[in-house]
Amino acid sequence: MDTLTGKASSLAEDSPEMRFFGQLQRLHREIPDALVKEVCTQEGDDGILIMKPVFEAHHIWAIPTAPIFSLHDRSPKLFAALLSFVHSLPFDNVFKRMGYLLECLLEWSFEVLESESDPETDCCAEGPCVLCFIEAHAPDYAEYEDFDWLACMRDYRPKNTLFKMIRDLLLEAPAIDFNAFANLCFLEDDMDLKVDNLIVFLDREDSQLENGYINFVNEIAQYGYSHTIYDISLTVGNETKSFVMRKEGQVNAVFNFMDRLNELLKKL
């Protein structure tokens, strides 16, 4: 508590029991609504975890990449810049960074496909499947990893109003810390699920994968959890990892940006 609050405790002369309860009172006075848990780290050490609520997240950002690929011929510069920008983001996506939830859903989809489908049946008979989508677009996605999207957008002068709005949004991106929530989580009892599980780049809007992902996260939340965003501090021995989130606005800036990006992409 001294480390987290930057204030020295005056409880040193009390009995151990009184120091314990005094620190609990201090915790809830200094950090209202905090959760305290005893945990075991990956290294096997016992520790104390303090979870400080930051704010509520009200939905999952499932951002389609199909609209980006539709720009290949319509606006090659914007196409390249968007692919490169998505590459730079620390969020799950079907081409690069597969998080736990996304991997589970894809594995489940593969198993259903193998067990319930006729091998000779076209897997895209009812619309493009995510597996074929990834296979078709992965080479293009990989090609633009090192593209300088920011320099491209600074020189980009589109006549199309929608393209201009997307360009203007991308030019705002350097001012946003997309890693602002690296120390945050949103489920009280599963530290493997981080805030960035709320943002994921999938195949296309209203796809089976998108619906499955959103439903899965919401189903977890309904089983006694919530979408409360928590900052966390872990104490093991004499080492205390301090809270990193000082301003709620840092996370809100990321979420607001993703809202606007999603809205614009769905208009393409």
Side-chain angles (χ1 to χ4, degrees):
M1 285 302 300
D2 289 351
T3 299
L4 294 179
T5 62
K7 304 173 185 176
S9 170
S10 60
L11 302 173
E13 303 301 322
D14 292 332
S15 66
E17 292 82 3
M18 291 306 297
R19 287 204 299 270
F20 174 76
F21 287 110
Q23 291 286 28
L24 280 182
Q25 291 176 335
R26 183 184 177 199
L27 169 69
H28 292 293
R29 182 173 64 251
E30 299 278 358
I31 310 174
D33 302 316
L35 300 176
V36 184
K37 296 173 57 181
E38 184 178 0
V39 297
C40 183
T41 67
Q42 293 181 344
E43 292 76 21
D45 299 318
D46 292 332
I48 296 175
L49 186 74
I50 299 178
M51 304 178 66
K52 178 177 66 173
V54 180
F55 69 100
E56 292 283 333
H58 298 292
H59 63 276
I60 297 98
W61 287 261
I63 302 175
T65 54
I68 298 176
F69 291 101
S70 73
L71 292 171
H72 186 278
D73 297 321
R74 298 166 63 194
S75 179
K77 283 189 175 181
L78 188 57
F79 166 73
L82 278 169
L83 281 189
S84 180
F85 173 68
V86 172
H87 252 294
S88 71
L89 295 172
F91 307 125
D92 288 356
N93 72 63
V94 292
F95 295 106
K96 181 182 177 185
R97 184 178 178 276
M98 289 276 192
Y100 173 74
L101 292 182
L102 197 51
E103 284 185 349
C104 285
L105 283 171
L106 281 172
E107 288 176 3
W108 179 82
S109 298
F110 295 159
E111 291 172 0
V112 170
L113 187 67
E114 292 172 357
S115 62
E116 296 184 6
S117 298
D118 185 334
E120 297 182 359
T121 300
D122 182 4
C123 63
C124 294
E126 298 181 1
C129 74
V130 64
L131 303 181
C132 295
F133 180 87
I134 295 173
E135 182 178 359
H137 296 297
D140 278 338
Y141 183 81
E143 182 179 345
Y144 292 97
E145 180 174 6
D146 298 321
F147 185 79
D148 190 344
W149 62 267
L150 183 56
C152 179
M153 289 297 94
R154 284 172 175 162
D155 295 333
Y156 183 47
R157 299 291 183 270
K159 295 181 180 179
N160 182 293
T161 301
L162 180 56
F163 293 177
K164 182 178 183 298
M165 293 172 68
I166 296 174
R167 180 208 63 184
D168 292 346
L169 181 63
L170 289 179
L171 290 176
E172 295 178 24
I176 297 174
D177 180 6
F178 291 98
N179 289 294
F181 44 71
N183 194 45
L184 307 183
C185 64
F186 73 98
L187 293 177
E188 292 98 275
D189 284 336
D190 193 336
M191 299 308 297
D192 289 329
L193 298 180
K194 303 298 183 180
V195 170
D196 54 359
N197 288 110
L198 295 177
I199 300 175
V200 60
F201 286 84
L202 299 174
D203 48 344
R204 64 190 192 280
E205 186 180 5
D206 297 327
S207 72
Q208 183 179 9
L209 183 62
E210 176 180 298
N211 291 330
Y213 191 92
I214 293 174
N215 292 337
F216 189 31
V217 175
N218 283 330
E219 185 176 348
I220 292 173
Q222 290 173 5
Y223 281 92
Y225 301 111
S226 71
H227 287 157
T228 302
I229 305 297
Y230 292 94
D231 196 357
I232 58 177
S233 167
L234 177 64
T235 298
V236 178
N238 293 323
E239 297 293 327
T240 296
K241 180 180 180 181
S242 297
F243 297 118
V244 296
M245 182 51 55
R246 304 303 177 191
K247 298 179 180 178
E248 176 182 328
Q250 289 176 281
V251 176
N252 275 333
V254 176
F255 289 161
N256 289 338
F257 183 96
M258 288 301 156
D259 269 333
R260 295 163 64 195
L261 177 63
N262 210 8
E263 181 180 343
L264 293 175
L265 290 181
K266 290 181 178 180
K267 292 180 179 178
L268 287 172

